[in-house]
Amino acid sequence: MFASRSSVLLALTTLLTLFSTIDASPVERRRNNQDSNLVLNQYKVPTTVGASTLPTPTGTLKAIALGRGTQNYTCSTASGTPVSVGAKADLFDVNPLLKSITIAQGTQLLNLLPQFLLNFDLSLVQRYSIPVLGYHYFNGGGQPMFDLGSTGFLVAKKTGDIAAPGDAYAGQFGVGYGAVDWLNLVDAGGSTGISEVYRVETAGGMQPPTCTAAGPIQVQYAALYWFYQ
Ligand SMILES: *[C@@H]1O[C@H](CO)[C@@H](O)[C@H](O)[C@H]1NC(C)=O
């Protein structure tokens, strides 16, 4: 999909310029937030891959975030198959990007972002002024957590799971073991401000089919997360 590393860099620079033009005064910031919240309501989470669908969201859309991090696996021996042990990702706020563009353009942009930013190390992405909405990680009990600060906190459990499209981005620079499934997760008890999240438009994150050494495996991934209350 991407012609070269330099063209990707150029495109990212453009993107980051967009991110960094997010504003000046608190009044303007407040107005922008109101505008983009209004816009957000008109976006619809993609829930269909071929003949498979995730349940339709029931609540109000609170936020859309770009997740960038790793899916974690472990191998107990040098042979056998990797077992999933969780994930860790930064959740970047896409809201500022949706200002001043149409819903159709915004939808296109959103759906391209994961495969695009997967090509850049998280440490590089973190150095730009992309606003961080929160963090995704697993707690000691193996539950997926989404900490969005003042927006809310979701202790999640999976309710829907469909395979990513066959042509989804397989890994960094298109090379890897495939894109992790699209998911629907809901409150497992103890959440505030958010009751549901979708993980869609996944890029990378799938584990190798077999182990080659005992120990942890971290596979780079990116995805769009849609949060509802
Ligand atoms: C997953 O990998 C990250 C590195 O991306 C690490 O910081 C984190 O502790 C790991 N979490 C689990 C549950 O394995």
Side-chain angles (χ1 to χ4, degrees):
M1 157 131 226
F2 299 111
S4 68
R5 195 168 181 125
S6 63
S7 70
V8 172
L9 278 169
L10 180 66
L12 182 68
T13 307
T14 311
L15 184 69
L16 294 171
T17 307
L18 273 172
F19 271 122
S20 60
T21 52
I22 312 165
D23 87 357
S25 70
V27 170
E28 191 185 343
R29 188 176 305 133
R30 197 160 57 240
R31 192 172 58 234
N32 288 343
N33 281 342
Q34 284 168 355
D35 287 351
S36 49
N37 281 339
L38 271 179
V39 168
L40 207 56
N41 290 337
Q42 298 172 52
Y43 281 86
K44 290 222 165 10
V45 62
T47 53
T48 303
V49 177
S52 307
T53 57
L54 293 169
T56 307
T58 49
T60 305
L61 181 61
K62 298 267 305 247
I64 308 172
L66 177 76
R68 177 72 184 87
T70 63
Q71 291 289 319
N72 299 0
Y73 304 91
T74 188
C75 284
S76 52
T77 64
S79 58
T81 53
V83 173
S84 175
V85 291
K88 188 167 190 277
D90 285 16
L91 302 171
F92 296 99
D93 190 359
V94 303
N95 241 20
L97 283 177
L98 305 178
K99 283 191 312 182
S100 318
I101 56 175
T102 66
I103 307 297
Q105 290 166 334
T107 300
Q108 215 170 10
L109 176 64
L110 284 179
N111 295 347
L112 283 170
L113 277 175
Q115 62 186 36
F116 178 69
L117 282 187
L118 179 61
N119 295 318
F120 298 88
D121 290 343
L122 178 58
S123 61
L124 180 63
V125 179
Q126 284 168 335
R127 259 184 270 151
Y128 292 96
S129 52
I130 307 180
V132 173
L133 189 68
Y135 300 94
H136 171 43
Y137 58 93
F138 278 62
N139 69 8
Q143 290 174 301
M145 319 286 276
F146 297 86
D147 183 356
L148 303 196
S150 59
T151 302
F153 191 92
L154 178 66
V155 183
K157 63 176 181 200
K158 193 165 68 177
T159 51
D161 186 333
I162 61 176
D167 63 354
Y169 211 53
Q172 286 190 306
F173 297 97
V175 179
Y177 299 101
V180 284
D181 290 359
W182 291 20
L183 303 178
N184 175 210
L185 304 105
V186 297
D187 173 35
S191 305
T192 53
I194 313 165
S195 55
E196 187 170 23
V197 64
Y198 288 75
R199 181 182 80 183
V200 298
E201 300 295 341
T202 51
M206 282 285 239
Q207 72 275 39
T210 53
C211 297
T212 51
I217 303 176
Q218 284 152 1
V219 184
Q220 299 294 320
Y221 91 107
L224 278 183
Y225 288 95
W226 294 59
F227 296 94
Y228 293 83
Q229 167 69 318

